[in-house]
Amino acid sequence: MSTVVPPTPWGADLYEEALRAGRGPLFLRRADGWLLPLDVERWCAAPDPADRSALRRCAGPVLDIGCGPGRLVAALAAGGHRALGIDVSEAAVRHTLRLGGSALRRSVFDPLPGEGRWGTALLMDGNVGIGGDPAALLTRVAELLAPGGLLIAEAAPVDVDERVRVRVDDGTGRAGPGGTFPWARLGTAALVGHARPAGLRPADQWTADGRCFVALRRRAARSASHSAEPAKRPAVTSSQRARNTSPDSPVTRS
């Protein structure tokens, strides 16, 4: 199991206010005053074409990590996918449930339903930053995926590999409760670099509406017959590897 990172309050008051209003302004503020805008209006709207470019690639049961107000979970459910959102924000989980999606208030590092059986995991909207430790996060996501499962992650649109402490801020200097928490920003090259040691290999890469996405596939397990082969047998080719499976998802509403 990966190192446990406890859930943060995530600026509960300011974030809940923004979700209730369906708009910002809302930011992550670094100690040096630099502000990263949070696109609350887009998060609270229906999936846009860039979102749909990622959703079309989902296969099997889908886990949306850091689901926010639930637009992706609800869209997946409406399209016939078994999908579960997780988020440390109670307001986000409530919003997801109101949209008709399934969601739990959990950190990705908490015990979760269906570990090792998810066909697809999503890290959208900058959520590769969760926990401020990309190596730990991507290792944990690999644990959650089925062999051959797919991680679809959104990267920063610039070449960056940054770990910082931030707080939720409304742009006026008013901060939410709970103080600062660790966060990370990864461009595409950094994301792929951190994913490889976790056993996740690039499968696709694209841009849509100025947003950058990477699909990474967990190594597929070898079949029992291959793992029992004598050492003198020829090496197993990639075409002989076990195919990805799509078991029933254990998703239930909270």
Side-chain angles (χ1 to χ4, degrees):
M1 181 65 67
S2 303
T3 303
V4 172
V5 177
T8 72
W10 231 89
D13 293 345
L14 295 180
Y15 187 49
E16 184 162 2
E17 288 174 15
L19 292 190
R20 189 163 52 243
R23 63 181 184 275
L26 204 63
F27 304 89
L28 295 183
R29 181 187 287 271
R30 290 191 318 214
D32 63 3
W34 182 86
L35 296 173
L36 176 66
L38 301 178
D39 201 348
V40 178
E41 289 86 349
R42 179 170 59 79
W43 298 351
C44 291
D48 62 18
D51 292 329
R52 291 195 292 271
S53 75
L55 298 182
R56 284 195 298 270
R57 291 167 164 83
C58 292
V62 182
L63 180 67
D64 186 3
I65 299 166
C67 65
R71 74 189 190 284
L72 303 180
V73 175
L76 286 163
H81 282 272
R82 295 183 297 275
L84 174 69
I86 59 169
D87 204 291
V88 298
S89 164
E90 184 177 352
V93 170
R94 289 199 305 265
H95 200 286
T96 301
L97 296 174
R98 283 197 297 270
L99 290 182
S102 295
L104 296 173
R105 188 183 182 193
R106 301 278 176 86
S107 162
V108 65
F109 297 97
D110 289 336
L112 294 171
E115 296 198 10
R117 289 183 283 153
W118 292 99
T120 304
L122 299 177
L123 283 172
M124 301 281 279
D125 303 325
N127 284 331
V128 293
I130 289 172
D133 185 342
L137 176 61
L138 293 168
T139 297
R140 175 59 174 151
V141 173
E143 294 171 351
L144 295 170
L145 288 170
L150 198 67
L151 166 62
I152 299 175
E154 184 172 352
V158 293
D159 187 11
V160 64
D161 187 354
E162 176 183 67
R163 274 156 294 288
V164 293
R165 293 195 69 85
V166 296
R167 60 183 173 88
V168 176
D169 190 294
D170 67 358
T172 69
R174 184 167 70 104
T180 64
F181 53 92
W183 197 252
R185 286 200 308 146
L186 302 179
T188 298
L191 174 56
V192 171
H194 285 292
R196 288 186 183 278
L200 298 167
R201 295 293 181 263
D204 198 2
Q205 182 178 325
W206 71 99
T207 60
D209 292 344
R211 294 164 62 190
C212 301
F213 301 92
V214 180
L216 300 142
R217 193 170 297 282
R218 181 187 167 188
R219 292 192 189 97
R222 295 176 184 270
S223 68
S225 60
H226 290 151
S227 62
E229 288 177 342
K232 292 183 180 180
R233 291 284 300 275
V236 175
T237 65
S238 59
S239 63
Q240 294 172 307
R241 295 182 187 278
R243 294 183 180 274
N244 183 28
T245 58
S246 299
D248 288 339
S249 170
V251 172
T252 58
R253 292 185 185 274
S254 60

